[in-house]
Amino acid sequence: MSHVVDARGKRCPLPVIMLAKLAANQPPGTRIEVLADDPAAAVDIPAWCRMRGHTFVAAAGDAYTVELKG
């Protein structure tokens, strides 16, 4: 299962807050793509993954892909 969080135009910490809110209700294995044009997202989203035990899959332009772990 995959979802998209559109956080374009939002500034830190909103992209991570939006990601965390969606992730809280999803099962392990879910992939979430975060669209974020705030430069801080390039650091914040991988850091959130490390802190929560999820996998940071990829970054491509303004898109960041996360896979949720159990």
Side-chain angles (χ1 to χ4, degrees):
M1 185 180 301
S2 64
H3 298 277
V4 176
V5 171
D6 188 352
R8 292 175 288 193
K10 310 282 191 224
R11 296 293 169 227
C12 178
L14 288 177
V16 170
I17 290 171
M18 294 169 71
L19 167 60
K21 184 176 179 179
L22 176 61
N25 299 316
Q26 302 304 318
T30 299
R31 284 196 173 206
I32 300 174
E33 182 177 28
V34 181
L35 305 176
D37 51 9
D38 179 4
V43 175
D44 292 347
I45 293 172
W48 179 85
C49 289
R50 284 190 303 276
M51 290 182 350
R52 299 289 186 224
H54 301 305
T55 302
F56 181 73
V57 177
D62 290 344
Y64 304 89
T65 305
V66 172
E67 183 173 317
L68 304 181
K69 298 297 180 189

